[in-house]
Amino acid sequence: MNESNCPAEGLLKMLSGKWKPQIFRLALNGALRFNTLLRQMEGSNKQSVATALRELEEQGILEKVVVKQKPLHIEYYLSEKGKALVPVFLQLESLS
Amino acid sequence: MNESNCPAEGLLKMLSGKWKPQIFRLALNGALRFNTLLRQMEGSNKQSVATALRELEEQGILEKVVVKQKPLHIEYYLSEKGKALVPVFLQLESLS
DNA sequence: TTTAGCAGTCATCTTTTTTGGACTAATTGA
DNA sequence: TCAATTAGTCCAAAAAAGATGACTGCTAAA
């Protein structure tokens, strides 16, 4: 038995990790920004948030967009794949 | 932001951990036994399987039953709570 | 021009998870 | 009676995850 015959494992891993569920949840409300997240999630730290964002992006759940407007900054959005996870996430919440 | 406003986090934690998703998945097919699991999950080890089973039981996902029949042994079953997780788990798999 | 905000990286330390191996104690089959 | 099977526990080591603090380089406002 390995990961190949337990498909849920990969998804589970994507959303586990210290700050990932919270980040995912906040992403439901719209664009995320690094320092805002850092302030919103009490007890979090740069390194962990950076890692979580990078991994969520690598896994294709979030999309990173450099906004070249007025105050040059970076935004993270839920990708299509990320959006597909929303109902599962909500179902998970409903069981808590 | 803490766990209390991210209800999915707890559930996610219950099924994360190296061998828990596989164990959960095998539990869908019926009773589990310690040594059988150990053989089914290549690369696993006693300690980890024991810990996963104990925690899944503590979380009320599995139920431990001592079968006092012929070859005295122990079986683990999905509890009602565990069964409630099945659709979420399957939905998760369908997205992989 | 100095200061603050943004979005990080890097090296290091600590904590948590996972593993490996030895051991136990009861039952069972040859 | 001896060996195997079952279902673990305990200790120690290794590996992975998370936290901390210093630092970078860019922009923008005072």
Side-chain angles (χ1 to χ4, degrees):
Chain A
M1 180 111 185
N2 52 41
E3 190 166 329
S4 64
N5 37 35
C6 189
E9 195 183 349
L11 265 304
L12 246 10
K13 230 178 261 171
M14 281 187 195
L15 286 176
S16 61
K18 192 94 177 265
W19 303 101
K20 289 186 190 173
Q22 286 96 322
I23 292 176
F24 185 82
R25 194 160 200 274
L26 290 166
L28 301 180
N29 308 125
L32 301 178
R33 293 181 57 175
F34 190 83
N35 285 303
T36 311
L37 271 180
L38 216 53
R39 280 185 238 103
Q40 282 176 303
M41 305 192 297
E42 226 187 321
S44 73
N45 58 284
K46 285 167 181 286
Q47 178 82 288
S48 300
V49 173
T51 304
L53 286 173
R54 181 172 24 79
E55 289 178 3
L56 287 168
E57 197 206 335
E58 280 168 7
Q59 290 152 349
I61 292 175
L62 293 182
E63 269 165 31
K64 182 175 180 171
V65 178
V66 179
V67 179
K68 293 177 198 83
Q69 295 327 34
K70 330 241 260 155
L72 192 73
H73 67 280
I74 289 163
E75 293 185 345
Y76 293 88
Y77 292 94
L78 268 192
S79 66
E80 284 314 306
K81 183 173 176 185
K83 284 176 194 158
L85 280 170
V86 176
V88 194
F89 195 82
L90 295 179
Q91 205 183 338
L92 215 40
E93 292 201 339
S94 73
L95 290 174
S96 304
Chain B
M1 180 108 185
N2 51 41
E3 190 168 327
S4 65
N5 38 34
C6 189
E9 196 184 349
L11 264 304
L12 247 8
K13 232 179 258 171
M14 282 188 195
L15 287 177
S16 61
K18 189 91 179 268
W19 303 100
K20 289 187 191 172
Q22 286 99 319
I23 292 176
F24 185 82
R25 191 159 203 276
L26 290 167
L28 300 180
N29 309 125
L32 301 177
R33 295 180 57 175
F34 190 83
N35 284 301
T36 311
L37 270 180
L38 215 55
R39 281 186 236 102
Q40 281 176 306
M41 304 191 298
E42 226 188 321
S44 71
N45 58 285
K46 285 167 181 287
Q47 178 83 288
S48 300
V49 172
T51 305
L53 286 173
R54 179 172 26 78
E55 288 178 5
L56 287 168
E57 197 206 335
E58 279 167 8
Q59 290 153 352
I61 292 174
L62 292 182
E63 269 166 33
K64 183 175 179 170
V65 178
V66 179
V67 179
K68 293 177 198 85
Q69 295 328 30
K70 324 248 249 161
L72 191 75
H73 67 280
I74 289 163
E75 292 185 345
Y76 294 87
Y77 292 93
L78 270 192
S79 66
E80 283 314 306
K81 184 173 175 186
K83 285 176 193 157
L85 280 171
V86 177
V88 195
F89 195 84
L90 295 178
Q91 205 183 337
L92 215 42
E93 291 202 339
S94 75
L95 290 172
S96 302

